[in-house]
Amino acid sequence: SYANNLLQKQTEELRMAKLALEERAEQLAMASQYKSEFLANMSHELRTPLNSIINLAQILAESEEGEDQGKGGDDSPNFGTIIYKSGQDLLGIINDILDLSKVEAGHMEIVREPVGLREMADSLEMHFAHIARQKNIRFEVRIEEGLPGTIVSDAQRVKQIMRNLLSNAFKFTHHGQVKLEIRKPSGDDGLPGEWIVFAVTDTGIGIPKSKQEAVFEAFRQADGSISRRYGGTGLGLSISKNLAQLLGGHIRLQSQEGAGSTFSLYLPIT
Ligand code: ADP
């Protein structure tokens, strides 16, 4: 019958459309795969020579230092040190770009292991003690009593997020203090289940309400003129937000312009 023919024709059209869509999806998946492979290869190609530059610069810096000591001259950084630091900065940017493309492509691997809270706090405290002293900013690290000793998460990734948050806190604070608190969520956090919070509070420049969402987007900085003054790629918070989600958690931001900011990483305990 006519109705039957029409139905058959439409079924066939739908089948063709589905095939075309499947083919397109396959092409896109391949393109995404190529992109990830390209980024991984490129970053390897960039990192290998860069590592040679960094290693040689370090040797250069040390030998220049030895010569300077003999002369008892000024303490301005020597060429080796400048090359070494610039190399480290560049390596940091390359690693950020690679990390962001990895999480976006779903290729970031997450390890589940016991993560010691005390160990984490100590390692972060050690890592930032020097910059705190240098900038004359008080650095306080506190673990609330009664917390479990460990949570199940990925120690490397938690550390990466926390280093991002803490280095921002020190970067955008000029006096006062930076505080790292590991605690239980407070009553008004309204979260079901068992969570732990890593909160970084600073007395720095703060972020205006209108910019608080944008700072988590890749390549975005709160203020063009300020970020040019401070440097940075604008990738750190975007990577951190993605990593937090991969770990089953999230990041909350509370901030007041001119008064300071609190970035809180929420992680499930198991
Ligand atoms: P970057 O620090 O490389 O610019 P991020 O993604 O880490 O990139 O941060 C994005 C932007 O968010 C920063 O450029 C800055 O404008 C703002 N920001 C982040 N942390 C703070 C902070 N603790 N205080 C004030 N502004 C901040």
Side-chain angles (χ1 to χ4, degrees), residues 219-233:
F219 300 108
R220 288 289 283 275
Q221 301 181 316
D223 174 359
S225 65
I226 288 181
S227 38
R228 268 193 294 283
R229 179 141 55 91
Y230 287 96
T233 56

Side-chain angles (χ1 to χ4, degrees), residues 196-213:
I196 204 117
V197 186
F198 295 71
V200 176
T201 302
D202 66 54
T203 54
I205 63 172
I207 301 168
K209 267 258 154 353
S210 60
K211 304 282 170 61
Q212 290 183 7
E213 238 173 272

Side-chain angles (χ1 to χ4, degrees), residues 168 171-172 202 207 215 220-222 232-237 261 263:
N168 277 343
K171 182 159 132 190
F172 296 105
D202 66 54
I207 301 168
V215 293
R220 288 289 283 275
Q221 301 181 316
T233 56
L235 292 178
L237 283 178
S261 315
F263 284 86

Side-chain angles (χ1 to χ4, degrees), residues 7-199:
L7 197 63
Q8 214 164 21
K9 195 165 154 247
Q10 282 179 343
T11 309
E12 180 60 17
E13 272 170 14
L14 269 177
R15 203 179 66 82
M16 296 304 285
K18 182 166 166 272
L19 277 178
L21 268 178
E22 276 170 1
E23 195 177 326
R24 186 79 193 115
E26 206 171 301
Q27 282 168 354
L28 283 174
M30 292 282 281
S32 161
Q33 178 78 26
Y34 288 142
K35 185 186 133 205
S36 319
E37 274 167 28
F38 170 76
L39 280 166
N41 287 335
M42 186 188 71
S43 105
H44 178 75
E45 296 299 321
L46 290 174
R47 270 196 283 202
T48 309
L50 189 53
N51 276 320
S52 314
I53 294 174
I54 290 172
N55 290 336
L56 287 171
Q58 195 170 19
I59 295 170
L60 188 63
E62 279 160 13
S63 77
E64 277 184 83
E65 219 165 76
E67 281 172 31
D68 285 352
Q69 267 165 9
K71 287 192 227 123
D74 68 313
D75 52 16
S76 59
N78 61 45
F79 290 149
T81 306
I82 296 169
I83 300 172
Y84 177 77
K85 288 203 171 126
S86 306
Q88 289 285 13
D89 286 350
L90 191 50
L91 190 61
I93 295 169
I94 292 171
N95 285 337
D96 274 0
I97 293 174
L98 184 74
D99 276 353
L100 188 65
S101 62
K102 252 198 216 158
V103 269
E104 284 187 339
H107 290 302
M108 181 67 81
E109 276 168 33
I110 295 296
V111 182
R112 306 215 140 257
E113 64 200 340
V115 178
L117 296 183
R118 178 84 264 166
E119 252 177 282
M120 180 64 67
D122 287 349
S123 137
L124 292 168
E125 189 166 12
M126 256 194 1
H127 194 262
F128 288 94
H130 181 66
I131 176 114
R133 237 177 291 124
Q134 222 174 30
K135 289 192 76 171
N136 199 19
I137 293 169
R138 202 145 36 89
F139 183 27
E140 203 180 301
V141 178
R142 266 216 317 255
I143 303 185
E144 189 184 337
E145 272 179 45
L147 292 185
T150 59
I151 61 171
V152 177
S153 199
D154 184 325
Q156 280 321 311
R157 298 306 162 196
V158 175
K159 205 175 280 178
Q160 186 177 1
I161 297 170
M162 294 314 296
R163 282 188 178 180
N164 263 331
L165 300 183
L166 281 163
S167 67
N168 277 343
F170 280 104
K171 182 159 132 190
F172 296 105
T173 301
H174 304 298
H175 40 76
Q177 71 162 355
V178 170
K179 192 168 67 184
L180 166 63
E181 255 183 308
I182 305 181
R183 59 172 179 83
K184 269 259 154 68
S186 50
D188 58 5
D189 286 330
L191 284 166
E194 294 263 69
W195 294 79
I196 204 117
V197 186
F198 295 71

